[in-house]
Amino acid sequence: MTHAAPVSPVDRAGLRQRIDKALTDFLASQRTWMAGVDDALAPVAEAIEAFVLGGGKRLRPAFAYWGFRGAGGMDTDQVVTALASLEFVQASALIHDDVMDRSDTRRGEPAVHRRFAARHRAAGWGGDADGFGDAAAILLGDLCLVWSDELLHSAGLDPRTVAQARPVFDAMRTEVTVGQYLDVLTQATGDTSVERASKVARYKSAKYTVERPLLLGATLADAPEQVRAAYSAYGLPLGEAFQLRDDVLGIFGDPAQTGKPAGDDLREGKRTYLVAAALEATDGAGRELLLGGLGDPGLDESRVARLRELIDGSGALARTERRIAMLTDTALAALATVDLDTEARQALVDLAIAATRRTD
């Protein structure tokens, strides 16, 4: 079990289509409700629909689903609908992240705050257009977080089962929020240590991308403790490897595939593991060059290219790739220590490969 199967584990069991249907149906009902409140809320409904339905890898519901199936859970549409709630947690985090990072685009489209700022300008409304865009995006992100709760509770599962899963769901949302704060704090303080970068990656992304979704699925299936322990031992290193791949793509990725301008992580001043490793291995003029470029919103393509060369030449890129490989191997080894449904085990292996070898 070392090669990804031709059919993505996100597409097996009709999973992607079922997740999208659950999200589409839920959003349609929310649009109807908002239309009854005020016609002015139509752009809110449209923006969230475009954001949630217009893209996304559906990895978090996939990890949760195959974690559920691996623990012996019986497949139902109600379970898939409940797990689709993870997409609203993801949407909330991304919408807020783009505001904090002052990002212009997401998935090749204007970020939500830019979309609403443009609406303000086009309408000729009073006040500051960018301030309006920021306020709208914060509220839309909050609304997505509220809706994650609502979808989980309205999916049709036994209330006792949902109550049993609540601590995992709540811990996940708390962790990603404090992880976001640590990320902002790290940029503000200029902490360039590898240790800090790893902690930010763990809480901002790793736990809520893989470990917590797996444990949510395991809890819904009433999995025994040894299965949950194996899922954590698989999920934590894999989640970190996923974030490290994201960090590499944030500097070296192809904008046509990532949907974000090349070098955006540098302009935003991200103190990622990759950047921390480069700073650790560089001194003198090279270190000054890298620190001077970090957080500079005016960083042009030629300077981005120079910083890429510096990071690659320092050995930081190779070090990060080795760490991704090591973390992935650690995750897969943990998965092999527990008895799981055969199809689900293979799906989790394939998800690990897809998450760490992606180009978008």
Side-chain angles (χ1 to χ4, degrees):
M1 297 190 295
T2 57
H3 299 286
V7 179
S8 165
V10 181
D11 293 310
R12 292 174 212 165
L15 187 56
R16 189 189 302 273
Q17 292 79 8
R18 294 164 70 192
I19 291 166
D20 286 350
K21 182 181 185 306
L23 294 170
T24 299
D25 290 349
F26 179 81
L27 285 166
S29 70
Q30 298 298 76
R31 173 189 277 267
T32 300
W33 181 86
M34 286 193 287
V37 175
D38 197 300
D39 290 343
L41 292 175
V44 173
E46 290 165 6
I48 295 180
E49 286 170 358
F51 195 91
V52 173
L53 301 177
K57 303 174 185 66
R58 307 299 188 236
L59 281 176
R60 290 159 186 84
F63 276 114
Y65 173 81
W66 290 113
F68 173 80
R69 288 282 306 276
M74 298 296 293
D75 185 4
T76 67
D77 286 340
Q78 288 81 6
V79 166
V80 172
T81 298
L83 299 180
S85 65
L86 292 166
E87 286 299 301
F88 284 115
V89 179
Q90 166 74 340
S92 174
L94 294 181
I95 291 170
H96 286 162
D97 198 44
D98 285 342
V99 174
M100 290 183 283
D101 291 341
R102 311 312 305 161
S103 297
D104 292 326
T105 61
R106 171 68 65 178
R107 299 168 183 159
E109 298 293 332
V112 170
H113 63 288
R114 300 298 188 205
R115 174 177 177 146
F116 277 86
R119 182 176 182 81
H120 183 288
R121 291 190 183 93
W125 293 334
D128 177 53
D130 289 333
F132 175 80
D134 289 352
I138 290 167
L139 292 168
L140 264 67
D142 289 349
L143 191 55
C144 285
L145 199 60
V146 171
W147 284 356
S148 71
D149 235 2
E150 189 172 337
L151 185 54
L152 176 65
H153 282 275
S154 65
L157 295 179
D158 185 322
R160 290 170 297 182
T161 301
V162 175
Q164 190 171 306
R166 283 289 330 191
V168 176
F169 197 68
D170 291 342
M172 174 189 65
R173 296 185 301 169
T174 296
E175 286 163 353
V176 69
T177 303
V178 300
Q180 287 276 30
Y181 174 77
L182 289 176
D183 188 28
V184 171
L185 178 66
T186 300
Q187 291 179 59
T189 61
D191 190 332
T192 60
S193 68
V194 169
E195 292 75 20
R196 169 59 70 171
S198 294
K199 178 173 281 190
V200 169
R202 188 177 315 123
Y203 282 92
K204 182 186 173 185
S205 181
K207 291 174 79 66
Y208 102 102
T209 297
V210 186
E211 186 203 17
R212 290 300 183 185
L214 281 167
L215 293 177
L216 180 64
T219 304
L220 291 176
D222 199 21
E225 181 54 37
Q226 61 265 35
V227 171
R228 300 182 202 206
Y231 280 171
S232 285
Y234 161 86
L236 276 173
L238 182 60
E240 186 177 347
F242 173 90
Q243 181 58 47
L244 292 180
R245 175 58 61 209
D246 209 50
D247 296 342
V248 170
L249 294 174
I251 295 177
F252 292 92
D254 179 356
Q257 293 185 293
T258 64
K260 299 198 80 174
D264 242 20
D265 277 8
L266 294 171
R267 295 185 188 91
E268 292 162 9
K270 296 283 188 183
R271 261 62 176 180
T272 63
Y273 179 94
L274 176 61
V275 167
L279 287 168
E280 195 176 84
T282 309
D283 54 22
R287 184 179 175 86
E288 272 188 41
L289 181 66
L290 183 50
L291 286 173
L294 276 178
D296 180 357
L299 206 61
D300 60 23
E301 289 186 16
S302 64
R303 289 176 66 200
V304 168
R306 287 176 65 197
L307 293 179
R308 281 174 163 172
E309 289 176 9
L310 189 156
I311 292 167
D312 189 9
S314 73
L317 179 58
R319 177 180 172 182
T320 302
E321 291 290 355
R322 288 195 300 272
R323 182 159 179 79
I324 290 171
M326 181 272 290
L327 289 166
T328 305
D329 287 346
T330 299
L332 293 176
L335 199 63
T337 65
V338 68
D339 184 29
L340 299 174
D341 170 84
T342 302
E343 182 185 8
R345 181 192 298 278
Q346 185 62 55
L348 290 172
V349 169
D350 295 337
L351 275 171
I353 294 168
T356 55
R357 294 185 185 174
R358 63 198 169 89
T359 57
D360 61 356

